[in-house]
Structures are given as structure tokens and as C-alpha cells.
Amino acid sequence: MRRFTHFLALCALTLVAACGQDSSPKLEGAQGGPALWQVSRGPMKGWLFGTIHVLPKGVAWETPTISEAMAQADRLVLEAADLEDEQKTLTLFETMGRSPGLPPLDQRVPEADRAALIKAVEDGGTSTQMLSGYESWAAAMLLSAASQQALKVSQDDGVEPVLIATFTKAGKPIGGLETVERQFAAFDTLPQAAQANLLVQTVRETKDMKALFERILTAWRKGDMEAIAKEDENGE
């Protein structure tokens, strides 16, 4: 799993649900704010907007270009339409993420990473005993979320709540590319080796989570896709 997928998600501000395969995305507002791509085919057009789920308070991201796209779009298509339903998301996570008879969490990482695991767990205000009840993919997500507490970021301050509120107020429909259940299922069906790798990578990332997030946030705010791609490559 790429290292910055904890922060980045794909949203689409669209006039149509999808454009033809021969459409050519055009990057708008490069270096003048977050990247926004316009996709068109004939009279139809839409926008692709890569967002960050969690942000610190007061981050200015709504540029005139983005505001204009929001005003012109007649619908909003999110990564997952039901992501804002916290109770549903929590219920699905608990149902899909837990399994009986799992080995202790510290036994699922190499011995060389166990000290980092313990520190990440303690810094995040949780415990290996609590996380041991979750499958490795779910434990990795919880550990990542716990490590973000020190960043003083919140999903409530992210981009999606603003988009949803804007389109709801305008009476425009909101849909999703997939569901939260389908997203969780993609992790839940990973082979155990892949889940273990995800957990180990998450443990290692917690050591420089603050620096990583600051680099990604800076690149995202500038629309610097080259820098974001570099972080992607570094996390492979």
C-alpha cells in the first residue's frame, strides 16, 4: 500500500457520471492551489479533484478555479458516497475487521519493528491488547489513525465536508464511485502476507508521520504532483 494513501482520496466534481475513454484530462490551476483536472468530451465536462481526508484547521484550499468548478458542476461524485455515515462505517469496520483467534499484534511484525510498534501504540493512546482483536489490515488503519492524533488534524476540517455541504445546499445530487463496504472488502480479502506487510509499513511510517504529512500537505496545496508522485515512489 502506498504510504500516503492514509491522507489522499479521490473526489470528482462532475457534470456527468463519466466521460468517454478518449477524453484527455487537462490540469488546471497548477502551482496555484490544489490540482484540479478538467475532463471533457463533446458538450460534456467534469473535474477530478484529489483531496486530503484530514486537515488542520484553517487550511485554505478553495481557489477561484475550484469554486468555479463547484458552481458549474451539477453533481458531486465522491470516492465513497456513504463515507460520512460514521455509524455505518464503524459498524462495517467492526464487523469486517475483527476475527477470533488472532495472534497477538506484536507477533505479527518482525522483532526489529516491535519496539517501534510499542511506541506507536503508546503514543497513540491505545494498546497492543486492544489492537490484537483486529485483523492486520484493520489494526494498521487504527494504528495510523491513532498516530495522526499528534498532527492535530481532523476529518471534520477536511475537504469532503465542505464539498458535501456546498452541493447539499445547492440541491445537487451526491453519489459515490463505490461504497465503504467495498473499500473495506478490498483490504479484508488481501492475503495474510499482504496484510502483514501493510501493518509493518504502517508501524515504520509512524516514526516520521509528522514530517511525511507536512511534505504531502505542502505539495497538495501547491498542486505539486511531481512531489506527490515522489512520495508515492518512496513508499513502494
Side-chain angles (χ1 to χ4, degrees):
M1 182 180 182
R2 293 182 173 92
R3 67 187 307 182
F4 61 88
T5 51
H6 302 296
F7 309 117
L8 296 182
L10 179 67
C11 285
L13 305 179
T14 64
L15 284 171
V16 291
C19 293
Q21 293 182 353
D22 57 343
S23 302
S24 299
K26 175 185 177 183
L27 182 61
E28 298 188 341
Q31 300 300 319
L36 182 72
W37 289 265
Q38 185 181 98
V39 185
S40 61
R41 184 186 186 191
M44 300 183 296
K45 66 178 179 180
W47 293 266
L48 295 175
F49 181 24
T51 69
I52 296 184
H53 275 317
V54 294
L55 288 173
K57 285 186 178 297
V59 173
W61 55 266
E62 192 174 333
T63 64
T65 301
I66 292 174
S67 295
E68 183 179 355
M70 292 168 64
Q72 291 185 30
D74 67 356
R75 70 190 62 201
L76 172 67
V77 182
L78 297 166
E79 176 190 13
D82 48 357
L83 190 62
E84 297 299 307
D85 189 337
E86 294 184 4
Q87 186 57 52
K88 179 180 179 180
T89 299
L90 178 60
T91 299
L92 284 170
F93 185 81
E94 289 294 310
T95 300
M96 301 175 73
R98 286 185 177 274
S99 288
L102 294 169
L105 193 67
D106 58 355
Q107 292 183 14
R108 301 185 223 169
V109 300
E111 186 174 353
D113 293 300
R114 289 175 186 171
L117 169 64
I118 298 301
K119 185 178 188 308
V121 166
E122 292 177 347
D123 289 348
T126 182
S127 69
T128 54
Q129 182 178 2
M130 189 278 285
L131 293 178
S132 292
Y134 291 90
E135 296 176 22
S136 294
W137 69 268
M141 286 189 173
L142 290 172
L143 186 60
S144 177
S147 68
Q148 291 175 27
Q149 297 297 318
L151 301 179
K152 297 182 179 180
V153 296
S154 170
Q155 184 172 322
D156 293 339
D157 296 313
V159 175
E160 284 88 344
V162 176
L163 297 178
I164 291 171
T166 300
F167 278 76
T168 299
K169 183 177 180 180
K172 298 177 180 180
I174 299 173
L177 297 175
E178 58 182 357
T179 64
V180 172
E181 183 174 7
R182 184 175 175 182
Q183 288 189 326
F184 286 159
F187 290 99
D188 194 36
T189 55
L190 285 173
Q192 289 303 313
Q195 291 193 35
N197 287 337
L198 174 59
L199 177 60
V200 171
Q201 184 180 22
T202 301
V203 169
R204 293 172 180 173
E205 287 175 359
T206 59
K207 293 184 288 186
D208 65 344
M209 182 71 77
K210 188 174 188 299
L212 170 62
F213 181 78
E214 288 178 350
R215 291 197 304 272
I216 292 173
L217 178 59
T218 298
W220 176 75
R221 292 181 67 180
K222 293 180 178 179
D224 188 346
M225 298 308 299
E226 184 176 342
I228 292 177
K230 183 178 179 180
E231 293 295 338
D232 189 16
E233 293 172 0
N234 290 340
E236 290 289 350

